[in-house]
Amino acid sequence: LGVGLEPTGAAGGLLRRNGSESKIGSGSGSDSRFRVKHELLGHKKPIAFVSWSPNDRYLLTCGNDHVLNVWDVESGTVHHKYEKHMDSVTSCAWLPDSERFVSGSIDKHIYMWHLDGRCIRHWKGSRINDLAISRNGKWMVSTSNEKKFHLFNLVMDTETIVQEQESIISLCLSKHSDLLLVNLQNQKIHLWDLNEFFECCGTPDALPTEPVRRYRGQHEKQGRYVIRSCFGGSNETFVVSGSEDSQVYIWHQQKGELLKVLSGHSGTVNAVTWNPADPYTFASASDDHSIRIWGTSEGGH
């Protein structure tokens, strides 16, 4: 199960994926109930990932049927279908212009697409687990089943590799794209500072060699599922993550201290996402087939 909130949060939009269907819900205010606005039926096999466009107009979905769909959020209809991958599409991410996006697959290919259906760039390498695009659209980060992540300079068309200790299952770039969270297969979470490397346009001397922080507290064992983490709170003060023990963990981003462990789910918590418009709420999605909206008091921040 996965979950995503609209980038602006203006319409209170929430996306839920489960199996081969996606549902868009909407609501406003902390006490309102979400209602289903659209039920998106277009994939023939389970959906792996969903992504809102930066301008809130489109929703991108990809999955095990090797296909990507771009949906018109207002009408709930397919804007375009993209077919080129030869295996499950595991991840996708928008560029800031909301007209281009990238997709990564188990078939070892990354494609950059235009909304009109054109494939405009292509990379070949390893089986893709996850990928992300920087806020300025100049960098792409990807990871595979190997113990490393890749940094692509989309302007200069270069690629740099950073080594990790364990296989990476998911990643998350901060709002300003200077920090990178990576979830490892042993359920550890590492924070990498990419600011100097990006500022120096990818100069090898500025490449980080170690994560700046390690977040601990979860049961550290070999994981069986994809677990995602994210930044949240005012100025991205917090790091929040799901876990295989059905709980949600919150750390102080800079200090690395475990602040809270939230119980409520009865299955693996696969994904979390912080509300981009409200620094005091976030959502979690679980294999128990539920989404929970969590709120914190302003005093707690």
Side-chain angles (χ1 to χ4, degrees):
L1 190 68
V3 64
L5 289 165
E6 262 184 316
T8 64
L14 179 144
L15 185 283
R16 172 182 183 264
R17 65 164 174 83
N18 186 16
S20 58
E21 67 177 29
S22 296
K23 293 184 179 181
I24 297 178
S26 63
S28 59
S30 58
D31 297 325
S32 68
R33 292 182 178 272
F34 281 89
R35 59 179 178 81
V36 176
K37 181 176 182 180
H38 298 300
E39 188 170 346
L40 310 179
L41 303 174
H43 286 277
K44 297 179 180 179
K45 292 185 178 181
I47 296 170
F49 199 81
V50 296
S51 179
W52 289 94
S53 65
N55 64 6
D56 294 342
R57 291 183 56 191
Y58 302 105
L59 185 72
L60 179 59
T61 60
C62 61
N64 295 352
D65 57 3
H66 313 175
V67 171
L68 294 102
N69 285 332
V70 168
W71 305 82
D72 183 286
V73 172
E74 187 60 34
S75 66
T77 58
V78 175
H79 172 81
H80 205 287
K81 179 180 288 188
Y82 307 80
E83 299 178 274
K84 196 172 181 67
H85 286 291
M86 302 301 293
D87 210 326
S88 298
V89 187
T90 54
S91 187
C92 52
W94 290 89
L95 274 77
D97 59 11
S98 294
E99 294 183 352
R100 296 170 294 162
F101 58 88
V102 292
S103 61
S105 168
I106 293 176
D107 66 8
K108 302 182 180 182
H109 292 273
I110 298 175
Y111 295 113
M112 181 183 290
W113 306 86
H114 192 277
L115 269 179
D116 61 14
R118 289 178 293 133
C119 179
I120 53 182
R121 294 184 74 171
H122 169 238
W123 298 265
K124 184 177 181 180
S126 305
R127 293 160 56 103
I128 302 300
N129 280 356
D130 204 0
L131 49 76
I133 296 290
S134 65
R135 188 178 184 180
N136 60 13
K138 295 180 178 179
W139 293 91
M140 177 172 66
V141 186
S142 75
T143 184
S144 62
N145 287 328
E146 301 167 323
K147 300 176 182 180
K148 58 188 176 183
F149 58 88
H150 300 249
L151 302 169
F152 296 87
N153 187 320
L154 300 180
V155 177
M156 302 177 66
D157 198 21
T158 59
E159 178 182 355
T160 305
I161 296 174
V162 179
Q163 299 293 330
E164 250 291 0
Q165 296 177 349
E166 295 287 341
S167 297
I168 302 171
I169 58 174
S170 67
L171 52 81
C172 177
L173 273 174
S174 64
K175 181 167 55 178
H176 298 294
S177 305
D178 54 341
L179 298 173
L180 176 71
L181 279 175
V182 296
N183 281 59
L184 306 181
Q185 194 168 16
N186 60 8
Q187 298 205 54
K188 293 181 181 179
I189 302 173
H190 288 176
L191 178 70
W192 290 80
D193 188 343
L194 302 177
N195 183 57
E196 184 179 355
F197 180 73
F198 286 167
E199 288 292 325
C200 295
C201 299
T203 302
D205 292 343
L207 186 68
T209 58
E210 291 285 338
V212 292
R213 261 171 294 286
R214 295 172 171 84
Y215 301 101
R216 304 181 186 278
Q218 298 169 298
H219 297 293
E220 296 178 3
K221 60 180 181 179
Q222 203 70 4
R224 295 180 296 165
Y225 306 104
V226 174
I227 304 296
R228 298 185 181 277
S229 59
C230 71
F231 297 92
S234 300
N235 301 314
E236 299 190 319
T237 307
F238 307 112
V239 168
V240 60
S241 179
S243 69
E244 292 193 9
D245 63 9
S246 75
Q247 300 186 103
V248 177
Y249 291 79
I250 302 176
W251 293 267
H252 192 280
Q253 187 250 101
Q254 293 185 341
K255 298 178 181 178
E257 297 176 3
L258 180 61
L259 301 176
K260 199 77 175 177
V261 179
L262 303 175
S263 301
H265 285 292
S266 59
T268 295
V269 182
N270 313 99
V272 290
T273 184
W274 210 285
N275 190 327
D278 181 355
Y280 307 118
T281 62
F282 69 91
S284 60
S286 168
D287 281 347
D288 64 11
H289 301 160
S290 74
I291 291 175
R292 290 180 178 265
I293 308 297
W294 304 87
T296 58
S297 64
E298 187 170 353
H301 279 62

